[in-house]
Amino acid sequence: MTTKTRLLLKFAGLTGALFLSLGVAAPQEARAELRIDITRGVVEPLPIAITSFAGAGGRDVQTGADIAKVISADLERSGLFRPLDPRGFLQTPEQLRTGDPRYPDWKALGAQALVAGNTTTGADGRMKVDFRLWDVAAGQYMHGLSYTAPAQEWRRIAHIVADAIYKRLTGEDGYFDTRVVYVAESGPANVRKKQLAIMDQDSQNHQFLTDGQTLVLTPRFSPTTQEITYMSYFNKKPRVYLFNIDTGRQEVLGDFPGMTFAPRFSPDGNRVVMSMAQNGNTDIYTLDLRTRRQTQLTDSPGIDTAPSYSPDGQKIVFESDRGGSQQLYIMDANGGGTKRLSFGEGRYGTPVWSPRGDLIAFTRQRGSSFAIGVIRPDGTGERILSEGYHVEGPTWAPNGRVIMFFKDLPAGDGRGRNSKLYSVDITGANERRVSTPLDASDPAWSPLIP
């Protein structure tokens, strides 16, 4: 996906003109009983059959097959679905295009859900993709939509279809039509090269955003997904930058008198919250992006840093050693009403509020052991999701179900940190490596792409 392309989407239920143009009676969407209950923790993956999307011929046929593969990979990676081997399918995509499923055939394969679709490229180069979802066990149609976009955006259409299937079968929003920005690392440990990189959540469409001539740290998406805030060193002094993904333009937010750390957007995108060190003390400040006015929020003798807004913008969670050890605290967005959140053994840091508002992710260090965990905003329900030699930097998928982080593995050869990205479900299940061309750290997951 090119970042300068704007996807045009046309949504239509398959009871409309599109379905009539195929010469097939429009199915009536029924109240389906098939649903994955993801509130029970670890669940058995749902067997689902995803056929190649039928095409009129040539490029459409290949694209239809590619779309099905991307949908299958997205759903399988969530850990909630088990796509079945297409080699065992007894109905062809063309048969499903013009007729109903033969439910006994799909039941014999063990499928509980079935997905089929069509692709058609018009003379203007735009592609129309529709899909249908059936409940095999109940023998009924469940859902269907149509999308229109430039043909080169077929991969993004596949992610959007996967999101629609995920939502219909789980009741929660998907997270596949998203991107991840992170710090790509290379070179020996004493001359580490760090540059901004961006990719789709499935590691495709990878791009480097900076050339690595200056050190970059802590990239974070804006709520619109079009801008990134990050920290970089200029003449050995840290600066906070805004980077526009569409244009490649970067802007200095300001030259601050002291060290600046961990910038992060407010939910409305109008402010950046960060920590600054002045006169030997590190506190949390906000910067209004419209007026460039700074407002100090904390004033304690400890180090206050790593702030993160609640989704409604009313609260801020941060880390501080004001109580003698590094712990998590919550305050009002104006700096008042500060309360301690964590009371466990070890050092707690890098807190990030879930997009749903129900959990806060954090990093915990206890001795030489690191862990990624979650805790409720009232301080209850603390759980560890992943532990390792060095795990850090949690970031949330936009639906609040999955966390991505980076993990350092002992290199032992002087190459550097040997850091990699991983994802894990909030149940602690389904931990997976996220592929990147170089070492990777400090990921930030985008909201759903508008």
Side-chain angles (χ1 to χ4, degrees):
M1 176 184 67
T2 61
T3 56
K4 295 184 179 180
T5 302
R6 279 287 172 262
L7 180 64
L8 302 176
L9 295 179
K10 177 183 178 183
F11 297 89
L14 291 185
T15 57
L18 172 62
F19 207 92
L20 294 177
S21 71
L22 298 177
V24 180
Q28 297 299 313
E29 188 162 346
R31 181 181 298 275
E33 296 180 0
L34 183 62
R35 179 65 64 91
I36 302 176
D37 183 1
I38 58 178
T39 65
R40 296 184 295 106
V42 179
V43 298
E44 187 70 23
L46 177 81
I48 185 169
I50 303 170
T51 71
S52 291
F53 281 32
R59 192 173 90 179
D60 285 347
V61 173
Q62 182 58 54
T63 302
D66 292 339
I67 287 174
K69 290 178 182 177
V70 172
I71 295 170
S72 294
D74 280 347
L75 296 177
E76 190 278 331
R77 198 164 45 251
S78 75
L80 300 176
F81 299 86
R82 179 170 61 85
L84 301 178
D85 188 343
R87 291 175 296 183
F89 294 172
L90 301 176
Q91 262 187 298
T92 67
E94 290 73 22
Q95 289 172 331
L96 289 168
R97 180 179 184 179
T98 57
D100 292 332
R102 297 195 299 263
Y103 292 109
D105 289 348
W106 297 104
K107 288 180 181 179
L109 296 175
Q112 294 186 35
L114 169 64
V115 176
N118 310 299
T119 62
T120 305
T121 304
D124 60 356
R126 298 177 71 200
M127 173 176 289
K128 181 180 289 185
V129 176
D130 67 75
F131 84 93
R132 285 143 292 165
L133 172 66
W134 290 276
D135 179 343
V136 173
Q140 64 185 15
Y141 168 81
M142 291 184 69
H143 191 45
L145 290 171
S146 174
Y147 308 89
T148 300
Q152 66 269 23
E153 295 286 359
W154 67 267
R155 179 176 285 276
R156 188 178 170 200
I157 296 177
H159 292 318
I160 294 172
V161 172
D163 280 335
I165 296 168
Y166 182 99
K167 184 170 185 176
R168 189 65 178 84
L169 291 176
T170 68
E172 298 198 7
D173 290 334
Y175 57 92
F176 305 119
D177 185 31
T178 57
R179 291 177 285 188
V180 175
V181 64
Y182 70 97
V183 177
E185 302 190 18
S186 59
N190 60 339
V191 197
R192 199 67 167 158
K193 181 179 179 180
K194 296 188 176 185
Q195 55 193 127
L196 286 185
I198 192 171
M199 61 185 179
D200 295 349
Q201 56 79 28
D202 62 350
S203 302
Q204 299 299 312
N205 293 319
H206 189 279
Q207 300 175 53
F208 293 106
L209 301 179
T210 60
D211 58 12
Q213 296 302 306
T214 57
L215 184 70
V216 297
L217 299 169
T218 61
R220 302 290 182 258
F221 273 102
S222 75
T224 66
T225 76
Q226 295 176 346
E227 289 183 313
I228 296 167
T229 179
Y230 68 97
M231 194 179 79
S232 181
Y233 282 84
F234 180 77
N235 290 335
K236 298 183 179 180
K237 293 183 178 180
R239 280 180 169 180
V240 177
Y241 287 85
L242 280 181
F243 185 97
N244 188 294
I245 301 173
D246 286 347
T247 65
R249 180 176 177 267
Q250 61 181 7
E251 171 188 359
V252 180
L253 282 182
D255 288 315
F256 305 104
M259 295 285 287
T260 52
F261 306 92
R264 195 182 291 272
F265 283 97
S266 63
D268 62 10
N270 293 328
R271 290 161 291 164
V272 167
V273 64
M274 57 191 173
S275 61
M276 290 195 293
Q278 297 190 43
N279 302 319
N281 202 44
T282 302
D283 286 298
I284 294 173
Y285 293 73
T286 60
L287 176 69
D288 191 304
L289 297 178
R290 299 160 296 184
T291 65
R292 293 300 195 264
R293 178 184 176 185
Q294 299 176 32
T295 302
Q296 184 174 348
L297 299 183
T298 65
D299 183 14
S300 77
I303 298 175
D304 300 338
T305 188
S308 173
Y309 279 98
S310 61
D312 61 7
Q314 299 301 306
K315 300 285 185 178
I316 294 174
V317 63
F318 63 100
E319 65 180 71
S320 176
D321 63 357
R322 62 178 65 188
S325 65
Q326 185 178 318
Q327 297 289 333
L328 305 183
Y329 291 79
I330 289 180
M331 64 180 172
D332 297 336
N334 63 6
T338 302
K339 296 180 181 179
R340 182 167 165 175
L341 176 64
S342 63
F343 290 87
E345 296 181 7
R347 300 169 57 191
Y348 288 71
T350 65
V352 189
W353 220 303
S354 164
R356 299 195 298 190
D358 58 339
L359 293 170
I360 293 170
F362 60 83
T363 302
R364 188 195 70 191
Q365 182 182 3
R366 183 181 293 173
S368 60
S369 176
F370 285 77
I372 297 292
V374 292
I375 190 173
R376 296 191 187 101
D378 63 1
T380 64
E382 180 177 331
R383 292 184 289 110
I384 296 302
L385 306 182
S386 180
E387 296 185 78
Y389 164 75
H390 181 200
V391 293
E392 198 171 350
T395 181
W396 289 92
N399 69 349
R401 285 290 312 178
V402 182
I403 290 174
M404 191 177 294
F405 58 96
F406 71 94
K407 180 185 297 188
D408 284 356
L409 306 174
D413 55 7
R415 288 192 307 108
R417 289 172 55 180
N418 191 27
S419 54
K420 308 297 179 184
L421 301 186
Y422 288 79
S423 65
V424 66
D425 188 87
I426 59 171
T427 63
N430 195 40
E431 182 173 316
R432 298 191 177 211
R433 165 88 180 275
V434 180
S435 177
T436 55
L438 302 175
D439 285 352
S441 64
D442 216 351
W445 213 320
S446 81
L448 286 172
I449 301 173

